[in-house]
Amino acid sequence: RLLGIEHVYAEVAPGDKPQFVEKVRAKSGACGQAAVVAMVGDGVNDSPALAAADIGIAMGCGTDVAIEAADMVLMRSDLRDVIVAIDLSRTAFNRIRLNLMWALLYNVLGIPIAAGVFYPLVEMSLPPLVAGAAMALSSVSVCLSALSLNLYRKPVV
């Protein structure tokens, strides 16, 4: 529930797993969107369902077939790592969005100022050296923001 996982199914017969994934996907999710289906498995009988799911997660101790069919492989065979992986991926995606937003805002404002678009209004321009330094600072700030993911703390489960 911490990560928005609404339903968990277990003990599904091996031959029924791919069809079960499709059946769950067919149910509508929030706001009429298709439900996102994740499948966690470690064996040969899980590989078709891992491939059919939106997110296939294989356990590291699983068979090579399951590992090849999965989108993500957990290094340990601990189901709590599934929660950590989902939380980390959401955190990283949110950081990417934040970096893109700041870079876009910075460039939308910075480029016209450096080009002198606002000179007729404020009778002031930005020297090329300062504009170049500002662009370099933009890249450094995005890199530092991305490096802040090193401070990630996994959720307590």
Side-chain angles (χ1 to χ4, degrees), residues 51-124:
D54 296 312
I55 304 167
I57 304 171
M59 299 301 217
C61 70
T63 64
D64 291 340
V65 176
I67 290 171
E68 284 296 320
D71 300 309
M72 180 187 310
V73 179
L74 301 178
M75 299 310 292
R76 298 182 303 162
S77 294
D78 187 354
L79 284 176
R80 290 176 291 197
D81 287 344
V82 173
I83 294 170
V84 174
I86 292 170
D87 186 60
L88 178 59
S89 66
R90 285 183 179 165
T91 302
F93 192 72
N94 288 337
R95 182 59 54 169
I96 291 167
R97 278 193 204 153
L98 180 70
N99 287 343
L100 283 173
M101 189 262 315
W102 280 114
L104 178 68
L105 181 68
Y106 191 84
N107 287 315
V108 163
L109 294 176
I111 291 173
I113 291 171
V117 172
F118 300 116
Y119 184 78
L121 297 174
V122 293
E123 294 184 11
M124 197 168 109

Side-chain angles (χ1 to χ4, degrees), residues 13-15 17-18 21 39-53 55-59 62-71:
K17 289 179 183 181
V21 167
M39 167 68 186
V40 181
D42 64 352
V44 173
N45 61 358
D46 295 326
S47 55
L50 288 170
I55 304 167
I57 304 171
M59 299 301 217
T63 64
D64 291 340
V65 176
I67 290 171
E68 284 296 320
D71 300 309

